[in-house]
Every structure is written in C-alpha cells, then in structure tokens.
Amino acid sequence: MKLEHVNRIAIVGTGMIGASLATLFTGHGYATTMLALNDREAAGGLERYRTNFADLIAEGLVTAAQADACERLLSITQTYDDLADADFVYECVVEDRDVKYQIYAQLDAHCDRVRGISSTSSAMDTDLLCGGFTRHRAKFAVAHPWNPPHLVPCVEIVRGKETDEAALQFICQVLESVGRAPVVMNRSVPGFVANRLQHALYREAAYMVEQGIASPQDIDRALQTSFIPRYTAVGIFEHFDYAGLDMIRSIEETLYHDLCDTKEPHRMIVDHCARGELGCKTGRGVLDWSHVDVDAYRKRAAAPYLKFFNWSLPE
C-alpha cells in the first residue's frame, strides 16, 4: 500500500528495467518521474511502459481505465530539476562506474529532500558506487531487482559501510509498499544471493551437457518436473531440515566430490559465443530459437509471477 509520506519516486533510465519500475510504482499510486537521456530514449521508455500495461490488461489484472489512471501519474523528463521533490530515486542505467558517478553528482546537486537512493546494479559493489556521492552517500544502497521488476517480488538490498540504517529501512519500506520482497545482504559479494544460486545450478547443468550425461532439453524437463516447483512454496533450508540433515549429509558425502567445480566459463558457452550464437537474440544459443514464438515464451516466463500480483491500483 502506498506510503502517504512519499511525494514522488524518481527513476533514472528508461530502458526495460526503468520502464518496468515505473509500471510498478505508478501501479501502486505513486507519482513517478522517469529521467531520459534524449527524446528517443523518452519515447522508448513510454512505449515499454505502455507495453507492460497492455500485457497486464491482456491477463485481466488491470483495466484500461486503471492503466490510464496509472499513466497520469507518470512524467518523463530530461532535466534533473524535475527530480528535486523526489523522496526515493532508483538509478537503472548501464553498468559503467563513470556514467553512474555523473548521475550521482547530479542527484547530489538537485535532490534536496531525497531519503533513499538505490541502484539496480547486478554487479557493482555498493561501497564502490557510494564513491560517486558527496552529500547523499549515507542514503544509498544497491537494490537489485529481478526482471521484470513489476512482476518478480525479490529485490536484493546490499548495504554499504556508510549506509545509514534509517535510509536502509526507508528503501525497504518503499519497496514493501509496492509488494516487493527485500532480501537484505550484510555485505556485497559478486552475484549477490539469487544469481549465485542460479549460476551454481547452471554450472552443473552445462557440465552435464558437456559430459554427455543428458541433453539440455531433458535437463530443463528434470528441473521443471522435480524440485523447482517445490521452491515456489517452501524454502531450501525448510525442505532440507524437513528431509533430515542426516540424509542430506549422506547425499553430500557421495555427491559433492563429483560435482562441477570449474572456476571459468564452460567451453560450451565460450564456443557458442565465439560463433555468435548468443541465444534468443541471435536465433541460436545452446537451444535453437529460430522457430520459437518469443512473445509466447515471454508470457510463459512471466506466468509464475502473476500470483504475486496484488497491486493497490489508482482509479
């Protein structure tokens, strides 16, 4: 539910993530301003924003009238002066320190009432990014969302050494008010929490393909029909405790020595990249995407998260 003491949300960036965040915040009744680099980026951000709502309308989760009410809360600007009254700023631009530092200098100069600032960075250390601030570094923490942020609840909050506790709590409260599930990390590590888990799984999956143990399609089928659905309802620590740690220890004594422990990207992935086979965007990766209905895939990928949709939509 919208926090009444929050006047405006500012989003720096109009790409896929920025537009998704604008969808989320206006969808909960927040006046939201997206900062665009130029006219083209402004138009692209608005198009992506409207596409998100068109998908929600198609799913029967939002009416056209509600989408219009949300869009009336959205403004797009190219000047930092229009962010002066923002209480919370979400930076979501490219993973380039110098670019982010330029933005942070502008936030220092223009945002006098801001109480929390976050970056969507999925790779950069909070303490490193804090170096771009002079006035507001104590109000900053990385808040890494999962794509698309307006549907996926998890947000990984990474505090820095200088992050003020009040600012951290404010950032969490704002995100919780729009139905997100903040996961607070006590220190920054590469990949944060969820990507470390996801890539540990992918490392073993790719290893099994390279070793000829199973095909990518059968490995995907095993995941979809075995333990993955379980973890939408219970946690891994819950499940393993319930199963019994004596059994878990026994499995690990047999299994761990045989698991992949490579410290470099798999040769299979490197070779595909060298051939320009980058996945969906090039028509081929580990899998063949040339005859895949990508819109249908996108909707299928979003479907598990629709159950979390509980927005307090403006009328």
Side-chain angles (χ1 to χ4, degrees):
M1 181 177 295
K2 180 180 181 293
L3 301 175
E4 293 304 321
H5 60 282
V6 173
N7 178 63
R8 180 172 302 280
I9 305 292
I11 298 170
V12 181
T14 59
M16 182 186 302
I17 299 299
S20 180
L21 288 169
T23 303
L24 176 68
F25 285 114
T26 60
H28 283 81
Y30 284 108
T32 302
T33 299
M34 284 200 295
L35 180 76
L37 183 65
N38 51 47
D39 290 342
R40 180 176 61 84
E41 294 297 330
L46 181 59
E47 181 181 2
R48 285 183 279 272
Y49 174 89
R50 288 174 172 170
T51 297
N52 291 336
F53 271 104
D55 288 345
L56 295 173
I57 292 170
E59 292 290 343
L61 298 172
V62 174
T63 66
Q66 288 171 326
D68 289 341
C70 293
E71 188 169 327
R72 287 195 292 273
L73 293 169
L74 177 70
S75 57
I76 302 177
T77 185
Q78 295 177 39
T79 174
Y80 282 91
D81 290 335
D82 292 332
L83 309 187
D85 64 343
D87 297 278
F88 177 57
V89 179
Y90 223 144
E91 170 268 303
C92 44
V93 301
V94 295
E95 296 281 52
D96 183 300
R97 187 192 66 174
D98 292 339
V99 172
K100 292 181 186 293
Y101 275 17
Q102 291 171 17
I103 291 168
Y104 299 164
Q106 293 291 334
L107 298 181
D108 269 337
H110 291 87
C111 297
D112 291 330
R113 62 173 289 165
V114 67
R115 286 182 281 164
I117 302 172
S118 289
S119 172
T120 60
S121 176
S122 60
M124 302 185 75
D125 180 81
T126 299
D127 292 321
L128 171 69
L129 293 177
C130 273
F133 292 99
T134 52
R135 294 175 62 199
H136 294 321
R137 63 176 57 191
K139 300 175 182 177
F140 178 81
V142 166
H144 172 240
W146 281 70
N147 194 31
H150 68 283
L151 293 181
V152 184
C154 182
V155 183
E156 296 167 309
I157 312 293
V158 190
R159 72 172 83 213
K161 294 176 182 176
E162 298 185 59
T163 306
D164 181 77
E165 186 64 28
L168 182 70
Q169 292 304 314
F170 176 72
I171 292 168
C172 290
Q173 288 169 6
V174 171
L175 292 170
E176 287 170 345
S177 77
V178 293
R180 300 310 86 185
V183 175
V184 178
M185 296 179 61
N186 295 319
R187 63 184 179 90
S188 181
V189 294
F192 304 149
V193 174
N195 254 330
R196 291 176 77 91
L197 297 171
Q198 182 171 231
H199 281 270
L201 178 61
Y202 191 68
R203 177 168 67 177
E204 186 61 31
Y207 175 74
M208 287 193 287
V209 172
E210 288 184 334
Q211 296 299 307
I213 295 169
S215 69
Q217 292 82 358
D218 279 334
I219 292 171
D220 281 351
R221 187 175 298 116
L223 289 172
Q224 292 168 322
T225 59
S226 60
F227 64 85
I228 291 295
R230 174 189 295 132
Y231 294 133
T232 64
V234 302
I236 192 167
F237 287 105
E238 282 185 300
H239 171 62
F240 278 36
D241 268 7
Y242 181 76
L245 294 182
D246 52 341
M247 183 183 73
I248 301 305
R249 183 184 66 183
S250 177
I251 292 172
E252 291 176 352
E253 288 172 347
T254 301
L255 180 62
Y256 271 11
H257 77 277
D258 200 51
L259 291 176
C260 179
D261 61 357
T262 181
K263 298 298 187 289
E264 301 294 334
H266 286 283
R267 173 51 54 187
M268 175 180 74
I269 306 302
V270 172
D271 288 347
H272 278 298
C273 288
R275 293 194 294 269
E277 297 172 350
L278 306 180
C280 176
K281 60 186 176 182
T282 60
R284 174 80 202 192
V286 175
L287 305 175
D288 182 357
W289 289 83
S290 59
H291 300 294
V292 173
D293 184 335
V294 176
D295 284 338
Y297 169 79
R298 182 169 52 85
K299 292 177 181 178
R300 183 160 53 93
Y305 300 101
L306 298 181
K307 70 178 183 179
F308 297 111
F309 190 89
N310 59 348
W311 292 8
S312 301
L313 285 153
E315 297 295 339

